[in-house]
Amino acid sequence: MKFAKAVEALSQEQKQAAEKVPQFRIGDTVRVHFRIVEGEKERIQVFEGVIISRSGGTGANARFTVRRVAFGEGVERVFPLHSPRVEKVEVIREGKVCRAKLYYLRERAGKAARVKAKGRSTTAKDEQ
Amino acid sequence: MVTALLGKKLGMTRIFTEDGRWIPVTVLEAGPCTVTQVKTKERDGYEAVQLGFEDAKKSRMTKAALGHQSKVSDAAKRRLGEVALAPGSELKPGDEVRVDIFSVGEHVDIAGTTKGKGFAGVHKRHHFKGGPGTHGSNFHRAPGSIGQSADPSKVVKGKRLPGHMGNERNTTRNLEVVKVDAEKNLLVILGAVPGANGGYVEVKKRVKGSK
């Protein structure tokens, strides 16, 4: 059996196990509900930020990166898309962007680091 | 029951465990293997079975290899290897052994042929430290002194020097079995396994640390 086939089968299984794939697009502001296991206890941690990249294609290895600025410091977290620990991804605001990877946000700070909201009437200011 | 199977390394990937951890795994194709010969105490002085793995085109085999296998069955197997039998078990020539001899959570030893690295220096081959890269140093990756002068007037035997590296048999011990797919003859192992993708491996029940 070829490797690609074997892995494809494995990855299908994995994707099915992760019942629902989160739906979002690059530039969206999201809240990621991530299950954290500490010994016996479990709790949900919420990470809010902008989706700046998605990698790994369509397989079970796909990941997405969320960036937020916390206390003036940029923080990025990479989540596995199909991880059973990602409980849900809430889209708070849809962003209008012209790139698949928003790495240019890293060099910007403050107002320049905003992502335009989708739609005509709402602006970032209005929503906040 | 046999204590080992012949197989092939397919490649590596990552999977999620039930508790959500993302772990690196190696996917192996293990078996099905046919018993091509049985070695007995009376005739050979020890007990073992010879297994054949992977079908080959008959036209590509030597007559000698075909002749040896034709005693058992019509099929020609590409790869042959001898494995020990579990105490008290018996197999006949022509019997088939499959990946279901392994179970999830079990630990196995895996032997394969490592990737060839060619003629390698001491840095890579023996993990020598080497010299500083900068600050006017002219000593970078060289082995340095390899011994004394007139006394003993020779290089001691076993001195670690540059030379051919890799492309030799190597065994990684105590690897955990994450998943067994009896239908597709797949074995999913936690961590890395010696050799390149597509290389032949031997998967053995673990020798050390078993109770």
Side-chain angles (χ1 to χ4, degrees):
Chain A
M1 188 183 253
K2 284 269 153 49
F3 172 65
K5 260 192 179 169
V7 168
E8 181 59 30
L10 265 181
S11 116
Q12 283 302 330
E13 241 172 74
Q14 295 268 302
K15 277 161 80 175
Q16 273 158 21
E19 303 135 16
K20 216 170 63 185
V21 182
Q23 296 293 325
F24 52 78
R25 307 183 80 146
I26 305 292
D28 289 357
T29 305
V30 294
R31 289 164 69 88
V32 181
H33 294 249
F34 194 67
R35 199 147 49 84
I36 289 183
V37 183
E38 287 166 329
E40 297 285 286
K41 277 191 289 182
E42 271 189 17
R43 66 193 170 86
I44 304 271
Q45 192 185 61
V46 181
F47 189 81
E48 185 178 331
V50 182
I51 306 270
I52 64 161
S53 100
R54 188 177 159 152
S55 57
T58 53
N61 271 350
R63 308 164 293 279
F64 61 95
T65 310
V66 182
R67 177 180 171 87
R68 71 174 288 206
V69 177
F71 306 106
E73 191 64 48
V75 178
E76 284 176 18
R77 277 189 75 172
V78 182
F79 296 98
L81 188 64
H82 299 282
S83 171
R85 284 195 187 170
V86 174
E87 286 287 298
K88 64 173 171 177
V89 179
E90 270 180 79
V91 178
I92 299 175
R93 195 164 72 94
E94 292 188 335
K96 187 183 170 190
V97 290
C98 300
R99 301 276 183 286
K101 313 273 185 220
L102 307 183
Y103 296 145
Y104 65 86
L105 291 179
R106 291 173 179 167
E107 280 120 48
R108 300 195 184 175
K111 280 190 172 178
R114 285 174 307 179
V115 173
K116 265 193 207 153
K118 234 179 200 172
R120 240 177 294 164
S121 55
T122 51
T123 63
K125 221 177 177 181
D126 290 343
E127 283 208 346
Q128 279 163 10
Chain B
M1 204 169 73
V2 287
T3 56
L5 268 190
L6 305 180
K8 198 178 193 179
K9 174 175 170 178
L10 295 182
M12 290 192 75
T13 183
R14 286 186 283 199
I15 60 172
F16 294 106
T17 58
E18 266 170 29
D19 54 351
R21 281 179 306 131
W22 214 13
I23 52 168
V25 294
T26 307
V27 185
L28 304 176
E29 183 182 1
C33 296
T34 319
V35 177
T36 50
Q37 192 184 2
V38 176
K39 304 219 165 178
T40 56
K41 191 109 192 174
E42 298 85 64
R43 200 177 56 221
D44 307 289
Y46 63 99
E47 301 226 329
V49 288
Q50 190 186 58
L51 296 180
F53 170 69
E54 204 170 52
D55 288 330
K57 260 191 184 169
K58 281 187 181 166
S59 56
R60 300 251 169 89
M61 308 261 298
T62 62
K63 278 191 179 163
L66 263 180
H68 170 66
Q69 293 188 36
S70 66
K71 289 175 201 160
V72 182
S73 74
D74 247 5
K77 296 286 182 185
R78 195 191 300 267
R79 187 93 179 162
L80 298 180
E82 202 170 287
V83 304
L85 273 170
S89 60
E90 219 172 289
L91 283 170
K92 299 188 300 296
D95 283 356
E96 201 174 60
V97 280
R98 305 185 75 96
V99 73
D100 53 22
I101 64 165
F102 298 109
S103 52
V104 173
E106 191 181 348
H107 286 74
V108 291
D109 297 343
I110 297 182
T113 306
T114 55
K115 283 184 185 173
K117 309 285 182 196
F119 193 97
V122 288
H123 225 98
K124 187 173 191 166
R125 193 174 184 222
H126 300 298
H127 304 272
F128 281 18
K129 283 254 165 54
T134 57
H135 294 295
S137 169
N138 285 328
F139 178 72
H140 302 304
R141 295 178 68 99
S145 166
I146 58 168
Q148 301 77 20
S149 185
D151 181 16
S153 199
K154 64 175 182 180
V155 176
V156 289
K157 280 199 172 149
K159 175 75 200 150
R160 294 175 299 167
L161 287 171
H164 192 272
M165 182 185 173
N167 196 20
E168 59 184 7
R169 190 182 159 90
N170 185 299
T171 306
T172 306
R173 290 205 174 105
N174 285 337
L175 294 166
E176 193 187 327
V177 176
V178 177
K179 202 172 149 79
V180 179
D181 190 335
E183 212 173 285
K184 299 199 188 84
N185 298 308
L186 294 182
L187 204 55
V188 180
I189 302 286
L190 177 65
V193 161
N197 293 347
Y200 291 104
V201 292
E202 197 181 321
V203 188
K204 296 175 273 193
K205 303 237 169 199
R206 77 168 165 186
V207 179
K208 285 194 171 175
S210 49
K211 277 170 197 163

